[in-house]
Amino acid sequence: RMQPLVVELECVHADIGTGAQLKKEIGELYDAATQANPLVPVDVVPVCNGAPLTPRDKEHLGFDVYPHVALGGTFDRIHSGHRVLLTTAVLHCGERLRVGIACDALLAKKSYADLIEPVERRCAAVKAFLGKLCPSSIALDVISIDEFTGGVTTLDGLHALVVSPETEAAGHKINDQRKDNGLPPLKILVIEYVGNSSQLGADSKLSSSQLRAVEAGRNN
């Protein structure tokens, strides 16, 4: 796997005065990287004076910071869309971040399922990326999950869930199940899609299935 190009985004820069501006710049950088070459990994790392953002830094930028934040996904061949999802979770997280990564058995019906990376490799890639973004004070739980809710319908002490537009409806269903289980609803934080590259096809959003299709074509 190619090592990512790391781009540090200094948040004390005069042009980054608010969390909204920071999110916008991160999204624009990932869009540009994807358009340039979707096969070259780029990690955009927001920092404050060269160090990962602390919860206090995030609050100073105007982010709503929650003690315990969760998200989930496949995270195959981590691409810019995954990085935006994970970065958004970090920017809103104050104490603990839970990332559920779908086990291999859940993905049998995905396109080019035989090319999906093993769950151990996908977990390691997510941990490596989060290690660049999170201060040591943030506890990281990167786990393999064997059902799509990842256990968050019964998890107490959880406060927010980060989703894509594609999975927003599932997030609201999770809240319905939490209510049935006597648990408070989660704040649903929805990211924006990273645009696709013309090099990968006509779909409007970037996806791992497109990257697997590229690999399948190379192997033929």
Side-chain angles (χ1 to χ4, degrees):
R1 176 182 294 183
M2 186 183 302
Q3 289 299 308
L5 171 66
V6 177
V7 177
E8 286 194 351
L9 186 57
E10 181 55 69
C11 293
V12 297
H13 192 279
D15 290 340
I16 302 176
T18 67
Q21 289 170 322
L22 176 58
K23 279 187 177 180
K24 182 174 183 290
E25 185 152 353
I26 290 171
E28 288 174 349
L29 286 169
Y30 277 125
D31 274 331
T34 302
Q35 292 301 319
N37 190 335
L39 303 181
V40 175
V42 175
D43 290 346
V44 178
V45 181
V47 296
C48 184
N49 294 316
L53 301 185
T54 66
R56 181 173 294 181
D57 293 329
K58 299 168 193 176
E59 290 175 347
H60 180 72
L61 285 164
F63 286 107
D64 292 325
V65 176
Y66 304 90
H68 195 179
V69 177
L71 70 156
T74 302
F75 297 103
D76 181 44
R77 292 164 175 77
I78 287 185
H79 55 63
S80 294
H82 295 138
R83 289 175 169 88
V84 168
L85 189 72
L86 291 163
T87 301
T88 300
V90 170
L91 291 173
H92 288 279
C93 181
E95 298 175 11
R96 190 170 208 98
L97 180 60
R98 175 188 175 94
V99 185
I101 300 182
C103 71
D104 300 336
L106 284 180
L107 307 175
K109 294 183 179 181
K110 291 272 190 179
S111 59
Y112 304 100
D114 58 314
L115 294 179
I116 294 176
E117 297 172 326
V119 67
E120 296 82 5
R121 184 171 183 180
R122 291 182 277 124
C123 286
V126 167
K127 289 178 183 177
F129 178 67
L130 291 176
K132 299 172 185 176
L133 271 65
C134 292
S136 59
S137 61
I138 301 291
L140 297 177
D141 300 316
V142 180
I143 60 171
S144 172
I145 58 175
D146 58 11
E147 53 90 20
F148 282 109
T149 70
V152 299
T153 57
T154 57
L155 184 62
D156 200 5
L158 188 62
H159 305 94
L161 183 68
V162 181
V163 298
S164 69
E166 185 178 31
T167 59
E168 182 179 3
H172 292 296
K173 289 181 180 179
I174 283 173
N175 271 342
D176 290 340
Q177 293 180 51
R178 285 178 64 85
K179 181 179 179 181
D180 292 341
N181 291 326
L183 293 172
L186 305 174
K187 175 67 176 179
I188 304 296
L189 303 170
V190 187
I191 69 161
E192 293 187 10
Y193 280 132
V194 172
N196 193 17
S197 167
S198 59
Q199 301 173 50
L200 295 179
D203 288 350
S204 60
K205 69 180 182 70
L206 181 63
S207 71
S208 296
S209 61
Q210 296 162 340
L211 298 176
R212 293 195 296 274
V214 169
E215 182 173 335
R218 286 177 174 174
N219 294 337
N220 290 336

mmCIF file of all heavy atoms in Angstrom, residues 107-108 110-117 212:
data_model
loop_
_atom_site.group_PDB
_atom_site.id
_atom_site.type_symbol
_atom_site.label_atom_id
_atom_site.label_comp_id
_atom_site.label_asym_id
_atom_site.label_seq_id
_atom_site.Cartn_x
_atom_site.Cartn_y
_atom_site.Cartn_z
ATOM 1 N N LEU A 107 -19.862 -8.360 4.170
ATOM 2 C CA LEU A 107 -19.591 -7.675 2.904
ATOM 3 C C LEU A 107 -19.638 -8.601 1.698
ATOM 4 O O LEU A 107 -19.228 -8.212 0.600
ATOM 5 C CB LEU A 107 -18.211 -7.002 2.984
ATOM 6 C CG LEU A 107 -18.014 -6.085 4.195
ATOM 7 C CD1 LEU A 107 -16.586 -5.567 4.242
ATOM 8 C CD2 LEU A 107 -19.005 -4.935 4.157
ATOM 9 N N ALA A 108 -20.172 -9.801 1.879
ATOM 10 C CA ALA A 108 -20.142 -10.805 0.810
ATOM 11 C C ALA A 108 -20.888 -10.371 -0.444
ATOM 12 O O ALA A 108 -20.553 -10.804 -1.554
ATOM 13 C CB ALA A 108 -20.706 -12.123 1.327
ATOM 14 N N LYS A 110 -21.107 -7.185 -1.553
ATOM 15 C CA LYS A 110 -20.531 -5.981 -2.145
ATOM 16 C C LYS A 110 -19.937 -6.309 -3.516
ATOM 17 O O LYS A 110 -19.531 -7.440 -3.789
ATOM 18 C CB LYS A 110 -19.423 -5.426 -1.248
ATOM 19 C CG LYS A 110 -19.898 -4.833 0.061
ATOM 20 C CD LYS A 110 -20.245 -3.379 -0.093
ATOM 21 C CE LYS A 110 -20.487 -2.711 1.238
ATOM 22 N NZ LYS A 110 -20.817 -1.275 1.090
ATOM 23 N N SER A 111 -19.880 -5.301 -4.380
ATOM 24 C CA SER A 111 -19.240 -5.520 -5.680
ATOM 25 C C SER A 111 -17.753 -5.786 -5.484
ATOM 26 O O SER A 111 -17.110 -5.174 -4.623
ATOM 27 C CB SER A 111 -19.441 -4.297 -6.587
ATOM 28 O OG SER A 111 -18.907 -3.136 -6.001
ATOM 29 N N TYR A 112 -17.256 -6.736 -6.262
ATOM 30 C CA TYR A 112 -15.850 -7.156 -6.163
ATOM 31 C C TYR A 112 -15.496 -7.503 -4.714
ATOM 32 O O TYR A 112 -14.440 -7.130 -4.209
ATOM 33 C CB TYR A 112 -14.910 -6.068 -6.690
ATOM 34 C CG TYR A 112 -15.202 -5.649 -8.112
ATOM 35 C CD1 TYR A 112 -15.915 -4.480 -8.374
ATOM 36 C CD2 TYR A 112 -14.778 -6.423 -9.195
ATOM 37 C CE1 TYR A 112 -16.200 -4.094 -9.681
ATOM 38 C CE2 TYR A 112 -15.063 -6.048 -10.508
ATOM 39 C CZ TYR A 112 -15.771 -4.883 -10.733
ATOM 40 O OH TYR A 112 -16.050 -4.508 -12.034
ATOM 41 N N ALA A 113 -16.403 -8.257 -4.062
ATOM 42 C CA ALA A 113 -16.216 -8.584 -2.648
ATOM 43 C C ALA A 113 -14.919 -9.351 -2.403
ATOM 44 O O ALA A 113 -14.319 -9.236 -1.326
ATOM 45 C CB ALA A 113 -17.406 -9.393 -2.144
ATOM 46 N N ASP A 114 -14.491 -10.123 -3.394
ATOM 47 C CA ASP A 114 -13.268 -10.908 -3.211
ATOM 48 C C ASP A 114 -12.024 -10.037 -3.107
ATOM 49 O O ASP A 114 -10.965 -10.513 -2.656
ATOM 50 C CB ASP A 114 -13.096 -11.905 -4.364
ATOM 51 C CG ASP A 114 -13.056 -11.232 -5.726
ATOM 52 O OD1 ASP A 114 -13.907 -10.353 -5.981
ATOM 53 O OD2 ASP A 114 -12.176 -11.575 -6.537
ATOM 54 N N LEU A 115 -12.142 -8.768 -3.504
ATOM 55 C CA LEU A 115 -10.999 -7.861 -3.447
ATOM 56 C C LEU A 115 -11.013 -6.961 -2.207
ATOM 57 O O LEU A 115 -10.093 -6.167 -2.020
ATOM 58 C CB LEU A 115 -10.961 -6.979 -4.707
ATOM 59 C CG LEU A 115 -10.694 -7.704 -6.027
ATOM 60 C CD1 LEU A 115 -10.719 -6.723 -7.188
ATOM 61 C CD2 LEU A 115 -9.358 -8.444 -5.984
ATOM 62 N N ILE A 116 -12.047 -7.077 -1.376
ATOM 63 C CA ILE A 116 -12.097 -6.259 -0.163
ATOM 64 C C ILE A 116 -10.978 -6.687 0.782
ATOM 65 O O ILE A 116 -10.750 -7.879 1.008
ATOM 66 C CB ILE A 116 -13.467 -6.382 0.522
ATOM 67 C CG1 ILE A 116 -14.561 -5.780 -0.367
ATOM 68 C CG2 ILE A 116 -13.467 -5.692 1.885
ATOM 69 C CD1 ILE A 116 -15.968 -5.944 0.178
ATOM 70 N N GLU A 117 -10.289 -5.727 1.328
ATOM 71 C CA GLU A 117 -9.190 -6.019 2.247
ATOM 72 C C GLU A 117 -9.714 -6.729 3.498
ATOM 73 O O GLU A 117 -10.831 -6.455 3.939
ATOM 74 C CB GLU A 117 -8.479 -4.725 2.647
ATOM 75 C CG GLU A 117 -7.821 -4.008 1.488
ATOM 76 C CD GLU A 117 -7.302 -2.629 1.877
ATOM 77 O OE1 GLU A 117 -7.928 -1.966 2.723
ATOM 78 O OE2 GLU A 117 -6.264 -2.238 1.326
ATOM 79 N N ARG A 212 -11.973 -0.765 -6.240
ATOM 80 C CA ARG A 212 -11.841 -2.214 -6.470
ATOM 81 C C ARG A 212 -12.003 -2.551 -7.949
ATOM 82 O O ARG A 212 -11.328 -3.439 -8.472
ATOM 83 C CB ARG A 212 -12.847 -2.989 -5.616
ATOM 84 C CG ARG A 212 -12.582 -2.901 -4.129
ATOM 85 C CD ARG A 212 -13.371 -3.952 -3.349
ATOM 86 N NE ARG A 212 -14.810 -3.771 -3.431
ATOM 87 C CZ ARG A 212 -15.523 -2.975 -2.627
ATOM 88 N NH1 ARG A 212 -14.923 -2.270 -1.695
ATOM 89 N NH2 ARG A 212 -16.836 -2.904 -2.756
#
